[in-house]
Amino acid sequence: VQLQASGGGLVQAGGSLRLSCAASGIAFSINAMGWYRQAPGKQRELVAIITSGGSTDYADSVKGRFTISRDNAKSTVYLQMTSLKPEDTGVYSCNAEVTGLDRLGHAYWGQGTQVTVSS
């Protein structure tokens, strides 16, 4: 399974961006999908996660501003980011928890996409 992320960029504070991450390859099922970010000098943190059934969870810092969604038919997860703040700056990576054809759980990561929010 490969994950291809897109949609990062440079935006002013208060602006919006939409990230996409498409999964390709063969698997029995794609379970939870999520977005993580890593700011310079900081550890990677969970931003938002969505289950195959549509249940979501968010980091407290982004609640009310970010929305995660997924299109199961396209095996794609989205992160709509609004009211962006400079502290949202970082490399955003998508993750997928997959049940492989071997019926075992596997975790896959996409390449990071840079999000820079200027003040």
Side-chain angles (χ1 to χ4, degrees):
V1 174
Q2 296 81 39
L3 300 178
Q4 181 68 45
S6 61
L10 172 64
V11 65
Q12 288 187 331
S16 300
L17 282 175
R18 188 193 195 208
L19 306 183
S20 300
C21 178
S24 61
I26 299 174
F28 181 74
S29 65
I30 299 176
N31 306 317
M33 300 183 78
W35 288 95
Y36 292 73
R37 69 185 178 192
Q38 186 166 21
K42 295 186 178 181
Q43 290 188 329
R44 184 167 59 190
E45 63 173 348
L46 173 67
V47 175
I49 191 166
I50 184 168
T51 68
S52 58
S55 296
T56 59
D57 197 14
Y58 297 89
D60 288 342
S61 60
V62 307
K63 285 181 180 177
R65 300 187 297 120
F66 291 11
T67 302
I68 190 170
S69 61
R70 65 189 284 173
D71 183 334
N72 289 331
K74 296 181 179 180
S75 298
T76 299
V77 63
Y78 306 95
L79 185 68
Q80 180 67 49
M81 304 184 291
T82 63
S83 301
L84 282 161
K85 304 176 181 180
E87 51 264 43
D88 294 318
T89 294
V91 176
Y92 284 68
S93 301
C94 57
N95 167 273
E97 301 292 328
V98 172
T99 299
L101 297 179
D102 55 8
R103 298 301 193 267
L104 297 177
H106 303 272
Y108 295 93
W109 290 90
Q111 89 287 5
T113 185
Q114 177 70 44
V115 172
T116 302
V117 184
S118 63
S119 57

